[in-house]
Amino acid sequence: PPPPPPPPPPPSPTPPPPSPFSPVEVPPIPDGGLAIIKGSSTNVNQLTCLMPGDEAAIQDAVAWSGSQTRVTAVQCCKPGVPGNDGCVRAIDGDCVGGKPAEGHSYAEAVTICARRGIDKWGFPLELCDRSCKGQGCNYNRNPVFSKVPCVA
């Protein structure tokens, strides 16, 4: 009788899925700095200014009023969506910067926004150019990160 056919080759391994935590590129803070603004302001009320080199500094004691300091909250915005419609302080009831707000650095804030947006909508969120007053998580009581250039 003829010899038996050779066994089939083993299946090639499937490639691993892309990591949900692929690195996020954190742009450096521009030369003129970025404002930390009051979460309750109707206009952009600058409390302090993050300067180049501050990317990794935890913003947990920003001057608030008098001698009081507060943690800077992370809030995110949908790119190109103006006004409060673009504001994202919480996703599915989970405050993006913690509740109460947790101390984070600028680099962490950028990363949190990018990852939370990709996980929920498939595109990265970004730091806001407005205060997002009244949009939840009690962040009106905190300074918030922004992408607003500092006022000299």
Side-chain angles (χ1 to χ4, degrees):
S12 57
T14 55
S19 167
F21 295 109
S22 54
V24 170
E25 189 173 327
V26 176
I29 295 171
D31 288 344
L34 292 174
I36 287 182
I37 62 177
K38 209 166 193 172
S40 60
S41 61
T42 46
N43 53 6
V44 176
N45 185 341
Q46 177 178 312
L47 292 168
T48 191
C49 185
L50 295 178
M51 296 305 290
D54 290 341
E55 287 84 359
I58 303 297
Q59 301 300 317
D60 59 357
V62 171
W64 184 254
S65 74
S67 60
Q68 211 180 26
T69 61
R70 300 262 171 103
V71 169
T72 301
V74 176
Q75 64 181 15
C76 311
C77 279
K78 294 177 182 174
V81 182
N84 285 340
D85 288 345
C87 293
V88 179
R89 285 186 173 180
I91 295 175
D92 298 330
D94 179 33
C95 296
V96 295
K99 187 172 180 180
E102 298 160 2
H104 290 286
S105 67
Y106 162 82
E108 290 169 338
V110 169
T111 302
I112 287 167
C113 289
R115 288 191 177 148
R116 294 295 300 266
I118 289 167
D119 288 350
K120 177 69 178 173
W121 293 289
F123 60 85
L125 298 174
E126 59 189 22
L127 295 182
C128 301
D129 60 0
R130 53 200 173 273
S131 76
C132 294
K133 176 182 178 180
Q135 298 306 297
C137 298
N138 290 327
Y139 292 170
N140 285 12
R141 300 177 182 164
N142 292 83
V144 292
F145 287 98
S146 82
K147 65 175 188 176
V148 176
C150 291
V151 178

